[in-house]
Amino acid sequence: MSDNRLSKAGVACLAATMLVTAGLPAFAQDFKGKTLVVGTWGGDIERLLRQNAAEPLEKETGAKVEFVLGGSGDRMARIYAEKANPTMDVAFVNIYEAPQALKDGVVDAPDPNAPYFKDVWDGMNNGCYAMSLVGLGIAYNKKLVSAPPEWADMWKPEFKGKIALSSYPGSEGDGVLGVAARLAGKDEHNPDAAFGKLKELTPIAMTYTNLDEIFAMMDAGEVAMAPMISGYVLAALKTHPDIGFSFPKSPGPVLVRDMLCLVKNSPEPELAKKFAALALGVKNQTDYAEQLYFGPTNKNVKLSPEVSADVIDTPDEVKGLLQLDWPYVISQRADWTQRWNKEILGQ
Amino acid sequence: MPMPPSILLLLPALALSAVVFLAPFLWLASTSFRTQAEGSLLLADGFSIHNYARLLADPFFLEVLLRTLAYSIVTTAISLVVALPVARFIVTRAGRLKGILLALMLVPLVSGALLPSLGMLHLMGPLGVVNGAARLLGLPTVKLLGTPAGILIGLVQSFLPLMVLPLVNTLARLPGDLEQAAASLGASAAATWRRVILPLATPGIVAGSVLVFCATFTSFVTPQVLGQGHIATFGTVAYQQAGQVLDWPFASALAMVALAMIGLLQAAIVIGSRLSRRQEARQ
């Protein structure tokens, strides 16, 4: 919008006005020289956020967007450490971290009047804004496992020692504990039942930390099944014809969400909100679904039937998923980490 | 009384250390006496020894520290045995190759921990070079990943240069006529090593041992990557507590206890080497 551009005189005039009326909001287009700091995961997520949110935002406002990449634990550590003086504006975290961050006052509560709040399915903006939907299912070796497995199949004797788990703590591990507890007739509020049931899977074949490693072991027949989060896995299956992915039925897949948080008292709140609108917008969420198999939370996203079949993209589908009591789970994290260290890894 | 000029020259370095090392370290020490409020990750008010009590009450953490100590001692010992002949060769026989050999020794140090560890992963993995070759030849495969042996191989590979370099420095300074004198007095090669070279190389041995020991005790990437999550060491547990459980006060306490262990052991090594030198002097 060139007619909205300010002449130099206009800027000087505005600056003078702003000096006099300090505290008035900055002019909408005047973000030159400002930097928005966004903390997120690397790889495809960063690529899509750069393409669909950062670049349009830089064009529109003249600001710069700087990405800080890493795991969500790094970001949680940073926003807590900088609570008094934040330097990060937007932080992407996990389903279980968002309510904790809100409770501890390091992020802003989702604003029910924001358009991007209203575009998200009801009840999902829990702690922060819901960004994408994925479910914990089972990746499996088609040569060893004849049909898409149910959770209970992981406990069959022929697969003893051939089940891999992700490192703990993490949403995969918590999800598996929730499932194990239910197979034992209880739920996650009964950790003894959960750990008792999960211990039956030991010795585990391996603790995986990345997809390449686990898929190589699966292709080699060393691993039969591994609980994994849909999304990347489905995207990676194209290059691994012998590996399948199952969304089990009893119980259903465990719901996992990525959340977008606006850091409380961040340096650039206006830019952060604009970034959130773009990240949660239809274009970015459609790309998330088509390229990463991350289900959209925005109700205005329309997916092709092929893509829709592989992603979690409707409230009905979400109803069929297993939802854990995340605030309770996170409160148990230190104890469960110790139990996992001792009982599951047998250290 | 005016300050001597040499102290003035040290001031910038001291100021930098105070800001980037000492202040964060004191912060870490104080955090180790803090706790997180129930159901919160924020630090609660007040100081307590809760983290230290929990650490000492749970055998798991003590086991982890003792396991790390054992790995550090074994890695130091293996490095010493491997490094002595290498350093001796570089000093006495390498000739023109000396520069190249020293540069090669430096490779693991300048390439960081991650790349060599990932290389080791491809070497030792069940589908890696070693086991792949064994499979092709119909030989039994060796499980190295996720075992202490695998981690020790990785640690020795990573930290060997820290032992070789101080030894090269010390051995290079030994006057050659001492050995000739020992030989002319009828000492065998082994006796010359035991009675002449090793005692005179003690400063290099101590320096190298201290470096390798500290590097091993605090290593994170190698045990994390090669241990496959099966083997908990100080580095992996500190990362788990700080980066995943987000219990920063407890992770701080773990670091302080590890530091105390390292400090005590270093003090023991230094005192021990001084005592043995005094005994040498008396003989």
Side-chain angles (χ1 to χ4, degrees), chain A residues 100 103-104 338 341-342 347, chain B residues 39-41 58 60 230 240:
Chain A
Q100 179 80 60
K103 195 168 142 190
D104 286 334
Q338 279 310 92
N341 283 341
K342 293 172 189 171
Q347 293 166 339
Chain B
S40 164
L41 295 176
D58 189 339
F60 172 81
H230 287 287
Q240 185 181 57

Side-chain angles (χ1 to χ4, degrees), chain B residues 59-111:
Chain B
F60 172 81
F61 295 113
L62 293 179
E63 258 171 50
V64 164
L65 288 169
L66 289 174
R67 179 181 304 120
T68 312
L69 187 67
Y71 284 8
S72 307
I73 291 169
V74 172
T75 303
T76 307
I78 296 175
S79 298
L80 181 60
V81 170
V82 174
L84 270 171
V86 172
R88 174 83 174 159
F89 180 85
I90 289 178
V91 170
T92 56
R93 307 271 170 93
R96 280 196 207 151
L97 289 176
K98 187 173 171 178
I100 296 173
L101 284 174
L102 278 173
L104 276 177
M105 280 310 319
L106 281 172
V107 167
L109 276 190
V110 293
S111 57

Side-chain angles (χ1 to χ4, degrees), chain A residues 243-288:
Chain A
I243 299 175
F245 188 81
S246 158
F247 281 119
K249 306 263 185 307
S250 64
V254 183
L255 173 69
V256 181
R257 265 196 304 255
D258 287 348
M259 310 294 288
L260 183 160
C261 298
L262 300 180
V263 179
K264 203 182 189 72
N265 304 324
S266 85
E268 301 294 342
E270 292 302 313
L271 284 170
K273 288 186 184 115
K274 285 173 179 287
F275 183 93
L278 288 162
L280 296 163
V282 171
K283 168 79 174 83
N284 189 44
Q285 293 222 344
T286 307
D287 283 353
Y288 258 57

